[in-house]
Amino acid sequence: MPALTLPLHDDIVVRPITSLDIPTVREIHSDTLPISYPVSFFLQLLVLPARLCLIAHPRSNPANIVGFISAVLQPQTNSDGCLSSAPPSHPTTLEAGDLGNRLRVPRIEILTLGVLPAYQQRGLARHLVQCMIQNLCTATCKAVLLYANVAVSNNKALKFYEHMGLRVSSEVISNLYRTCINGTKDGYLLVGMVYR
């Protein structure tokens, strides 16, 4: 993928993560999100073809990562209605997947999304989501079913996703964030169609 610039901030570049970026992304992840993931999570983003992690950095300083997003393109069903690979891990995600299959649109699950505080409220998170959609979907795709899990206490993320067009589509999912360092471990599933 060629590097993309953020129109509102011509000095910001978005590109795929490399193995050299993992320590910095893990550090930013810890600073911006209350959930800890092992190194293996980030390594999977490099090697599994349906997964992708994009990072944002100033053009003049590629080592200064200021935001990231990781996502997975979920499998579609075969003509007989069976999933073409393993189903998502919990029932509410499968329901969202079923909706995407009925509508015959790609389904993208956002795994993580974080932007350093100094770069928040500038459209960078929205741009990262749009870059992810662009990279995981074909050019002819006009819409995607986007979904994400969010901690019930993360009001900033809930508002962000609502502005993107996603809505809470589940009851509280108990103990969703088992590795949460502080705050609640319960979460919601948010789902919505995003048009390109």
Side-chain angles (χ1 to χ4, degrees):
M1 168 193 145
L4 300 172
T5 59
L6 184 59
L8 300 174
H9 307 283
D10 290 336
D11 65 325
I12 298 293
V13 173
V14 175
R15 64 171 173 82
I17 192 173
T18 68
S19 59
L20 296 176
D21 300 319
I22 290 177
T24 305
V25 171
R26 286 191 74 211
E27 184 178 320
I28 295 169
H29 191 279
S30 296
D31 291 345
T32 59
L33 301 170
I35 299 138
S36 176
Y37 291 123
V39 174
S40 60
F41 170 84
F42 296 94
L43 291 174
Q44 288 177 2
L45 298 172
L46 291 173
V47 298
L48 296 178
R51 292 183 183 231
L52 180 63
C53 181
L54 301 175
I55 61 169
H57 62 78
R59 182 180 303 284
S60 61
N61 188 356
N64 182 21
I65 300 169
V66 299
F68 63 90
I69 184 172
S70 65
V72 60
L73 181 63
Q74 293 291 349
Q76 298 292 321
T77 59
N78 297 327
S79 58
D80 63 359
C82 296
L83 287 172
S84 57
S85 65
S89 59
H90 51 78
T92 52
T93 302
L94 185 56
E95 291 166 11
D98 289 344
L99 174 62
N101 287 327
R102 282 197 306 270
L103 298 174
R104 297 198 182 274
V105 296
R107 296 173 295 133
I108 296 176
E109 179 182 3
I110 295 177
L111 302 172
T112 57
L113 174 60
V115 174
L116 290 178
Y119 288 83
Q120 292 177 3
Q121 303 297 317
R122 297 180 174 188
L124 181 55
R126 179 179 290 272
H127 184 66
L128 284 166
V129 170
Q130 291 167 344
C131 288
M132 183 61 69
I133 292 169
Q134 178 182 334
N135 279 275
L136 289 177
C137 299
T138 64
T140 59
C141 172
K142 302 297 182 211
V144 298
L145 181 69
L146 193 64
Y147 51 106
N149 289 302
V150 176
V152 296
S153 60
N154 192 343
N155 291 326
K156 260 185 172 177
L158 289 168
K159 286 180 184 175
F160 168 76
Y161 286 120
E162 286 174 355
H163 280 96
M164 291 286 302
L166 281 68
R167 300 291 177 253
V168 173
S169 71
S170 71
E171 299 295 323
V172 172
I173 303 168
S174 298
N175 206 28
L176 179 64
Y177 296 106
R178 290 182 282 283
T179 61
C180 185
I181 298 165
N182 51 31
T184 182
K185 295 178 185 244
D186 299 339
Y188 294 116
L189 174 68
L190 283 85
V191 179
M193 294 294 292
V194 175
Y195 297 90
R196 297 173 72 182

